[in-house]
Amino acid sequence: MLGLLKEKKLFSDAFWALLGQAVSACALLIGTRILTELVTPDIYGQVALLNGFVALGVALFSYPFICAGMRILPECLDKDERAALYGVVTNLISRSTVLAISLIALGGGIYRYFSHVDLGLLILLGILLAVTVRRELGIQLLIGEREQRGASLWQTSDSFLRPLLAITLVWLGGQKAAWILLGYILASLLSNTVWSFIHSEKTAYNAHNNTRNFRADVWAYALPLIPMELIFWINGLGDRYVIGYFMTAAEVGLYAATYLIINEAFNRSAMVLLRIFQPVYFQACSQNRAKEGFRILWLWIACVVALGVVGVALLLLTKDWVATLLLAKSYHSAVVLMPAIAVGCALHALGTVVAQPLLANKLTRLVLLGRLCGAITAAICIPLMVKNFGLPGAALANPIYFGVEAFILSMLAKPWRTLNLAEKTLEPSHCKITA
C-alpha cells in the first residue's frame, strides 16, 4: 500500500510539473514570437542584456539560499521546523536582495557618470529583481514541499502574465525597453500577491518550539554555491555580453531570441525531470535508502540522455520550421545557430543531473570545482570564437564549455557509485560515496 501511495504521488508530481513547464514554455514562446514582431533586434537585445543582470542578481543573492532550504527541508521533523526554515531562508534572501539592489544603484550611478543611460531603466531593473526573487523563493519552496500543483500554478500564471502585459504596454506605448520591463514587473507583482496570500499559512510557526540552528546550516550549504551561481551565470548568459562588446545590441537580440526558444525546449524539459526526481532523490539520500536513490538517479540520467538525443535530432530536421513559427522574419538569419545551441543545452542538462550525488552528499565545493572548469573554458573560448567567427562562434562555444563541465562533474560525482549514510557524521543525512 505504501509503495502504491508513493507511486501515485510521483505520478501526480510528474503531471503538475509537466503541465506547469509546458504551459509556461508555450506562453513564453508565443510572447517571444509576438514581441519580435513588435520590437527590433536592437530593442530586444537591450532587454536581454538587462534581464541578464536580473538573472545575475537572482543567481547570486537568492538561489544559493533557496537550494540550501530545499536540501535541508527533508530533514525537518515537523511543521514548526519547516516553517522555521522558511523564515530563515526568507530573511537571508530579503537582506541579500537589498544588497543586490544597492549594488545595481551604485553600478548604475557610476555608469551614468561615464555614459548616458536611462535612470528609469535602472529603477525598473531593481524592482524587477526584487519581484523575481520573491517569485523564485515561493515556487522553489513549494517544490521542496513536493507541492507541485501550487508551484506549477504560480509559475504558469507569472509566465502567462509577463509577455501579455509587456506586449500590451509595447503596443500602447511604442518600442521601448522600459515598457517590456514594466510589464514583467506588474505581472510578477500580481502573481506573487495572489499566490503568497494563498500559501501564507506556511510561514506561521512557534519559534520557541524550534531548537535547530537553521541559519548556520543554510549558510554552510549556501556559501560554496554563491561563486558557483556566478559561474553558472557566466556559462549561461555571459556570451551575450561578449557579443555586445565585439558586435552590437542588434546581434545580441538575434542571438538572445534564438537561444531563448532553443533553451526553453531543453531547459523546461530538464526542469520537469528535476522537479520530479530531485525531491525524491534527496529524500532517499536523507533516509539512507541507497539502492532506491541509485535507481532514481539512473532513471533520471536515462531520461535526460534520451531528451538530449531526441531533441537535437528533431531540431536538425525542423530548425527552419521552428524559426518560421517562433521568430519574426527579421530574426530568421540566426537559424544556423540552433543546432550548436541545442547540443550545448543538452550537455548542460546532463551535467546538472550527474552532479546530484555531490549535492545530496552536501559536497557543494566539488560542484563549484566542476562549474569553475566550465567557466574557465567559457572565458577562454567565447571571446575567441566570437571575435573570429561572429554569432556562429558564440553558438559553437556552447557545446565546448558545457561538455567540459559535464565531464568534470561526472568524474567528481561518480554517479555509477551508490550513496550510503556515513557511520560517523556531525550533521544529519550526510551521505558518503562508496563503491
Side-chain angles (χ1 to χ4, degrees):
M1 177 63 71
L2 183 60
L4 180 62
L5 290 175
K6 287 182 178 180
E7 187 174 346
K8 284 185 176 181
K9 177 62 175 174
L10 186 61
F11 277 112
S12 175
D13 289 349
F15 170 77
W16 283 108
L18 179 60
L19 180 65
Q21 293 293 336
V23 175
S24 298
C26 289
L28 186 56
L29 292 174
I30 294 171
T32 301
R33 180 66 175 87
I34 299 174
L35 269 179
T36 55
E37 289 284 355
L38 295 177
V39 301
T40 63
D42 182 66
I43 297 295
Y44 195 91
Q46 291 180 36
V47 174
L49 292 172
L50 291 170
N51 266 332
F53 286 118
V54 173
L56 177 62
V58 174
L60 288 183
F61 297 96
S62 71
Y63 271 144
F65 301 112
I66 291 173
C67 291
M70 290 186 68
R71 177 60 189 88
I72 297 170
L73 188 62
E75 301 170 8
C76 293
L77 301 177
D78 52 39
K79 290 183 178 180
D80 283 337
E81 283 201 354
R82 288 196 295 271
L85 177 62
Y86 294 151
V88 168
V89 171
T90 301
N91 179 264
L92 290 172
I93 289 177
S94 298
R95 293 186 178 188
S96 61
T97 302
V98 171
L99 174 60
I101 294 174
S102 301
L103 291 175
I104 288 176
L106 177 61
I110 295 173
Y111 186 73
R112 283 192 85 229
Y113 181 79
F114 295 101
S115 176
H116 174 71
V117 63
D118 189 352
L119 179 62
L121 286 178
L122 296 176
I123 295 173
L124 291 174
L125 190 65
I127 299 173
L128 181 59
L129 172 61
V131 297
T132 303
V133 166
R134 178 64 190 96
R135 179 196 69 186
E136 291 302 309
L137 173 63
I139 291 173
Q140 296 301 325
L141 289 182
L142 285 174
I143 293 171
E145 284 275 14
R146 298 189 65 184
E147 294 194 11
Q148 297 285 358
R149 180 175 180 272
S152 295
L153 291 174
W154 192 333
Q155 178 184 359
T156 300
S157 60
D158 187 87
S159 298
F160 176 78
L161 288 172
R162 278 197 173 197
L164 176 64
L165 295 182
I167 290 166
T168 301
L169 291 177
V170 168
W171 185 68
L172 294 175
Q175 294 192 41
K176 290 185 178 180
W179 292 127
I180 299 176
L181 296 182
L182 182 59
Y184 292 166
I185 290 169
L186 294 176
S188 289
L189 278 174
L190 179 58
S191 62
N192 289 351
T193 300
V194 171
W195 294 109
S196 295
F197 176 77
I198 291 173
H199 298 286
S200 60
E201 71 277 2
K202 293 184 181 299
T203 60
Y205 72 99
N206 186 347
H208 297 290
N209 291 341
N210 177 54
T211 59
R212 182 171 175 181
N213 185 8
F214 281 117
R215 184 175 294 270
D217 292 342
V218 170
W219 269 113
Y221 192 93
L223 272 177
L225 294 179
I226 294 175
M228 187 174 73
E229 290 294 342
L230 175 60
I231 292 168
F232 182 82
W233 180 87
I234 292 171
N235 287 352
L237 296 174
D239 48 6
R240 60 195 63 187
Y241 294 92
V242 176
I243 294 169
Y245 177 80
F246 284 108
M247 305 175 80
T248 67
E251 277 74 27
V252 174
L254 289 173
Y255 182 84
T258 305
Y259 192 96
L260 174 68
I261 62 174
I262 302 303
N263 186 58
E264 276 301 297
F266 285 89
N267 186 55
R268 294 281 181 177
S269 301
M271 189 61 66
V272 170
L273 298 175
L274 182 76
R275 288 190 174 186
I276 295 170
F277 289 110
Q278 190 184 60
V280 184
Y281 177 65
F282 281 175
Q283 189 173 56
C285 290
S286 297
Q287 298 173 0
N288 198 27
R289 291 182 275 118
K291 290 184 178 180
E292 182 178 350
F294 184 78
R295 179 180 60 83
I296 292 168
L297 177 65
W298 274 96
L299 178 59
W300 187 0
I301 291 173
C303 290
V304 169
V305 171
L307 165 69
V309 172
V310 173
V312 172
L314 286 175
L315 186 64
L316 287 171
L317 297 173
T318 62
K319 60 181 185 296
D320 293 319
W321 178 81
V322 169
T324 301
L325 181 66
L326 299 176
L327 292 172
K329 190 174 182 179
S330 58
Y331 293 75
H332 285 186
S333 60
V335 68
V336 296
L337 311 178
M338 291 183 176
I341 292 174
V343 175
C345 291
L347 289 171
H348 175 58
L350 180 61
T352 298
V353 66
V354 298
Q356 293 303 309
L358 296 176
L359 295 177
N361 201 29
K362 300 182 180 178
L363 297 174
T364 50
R365 288 176 176 81
L366 290 181
V367 181
L368 172 60
L369 177 60
R371 299 292 189 195
L372 180 60
C373 292
I376 293 173
T377 306
I380 294 171
C381 71
I382 292 176
L384 291 175
M385 300 286 281
V386 172
K387 183 178 180 179
N388 290 286
F389 303 105
L391 285 184
L396 289 169
N398 277 267
I400 296 175
Y401 56 80
F402 281 132
V404 169
E405 180 183 272
F407 176 76
I408 298 298
L409 285 172
S410 66
M411 292 298 100
L412 293 172
K414 298 179 175 62
W416 52 87
R417 298 185 180 183
T418 58
L419 290 174
N420 288 324
L421 191 68
E423 294 179 1
K424 296 180 180 180
T425 181
L426 296 177
E427 57 183 343
S429 82
H430 183 79
C431 300
K432 183 178 181 180
I433 300 179
T434 59

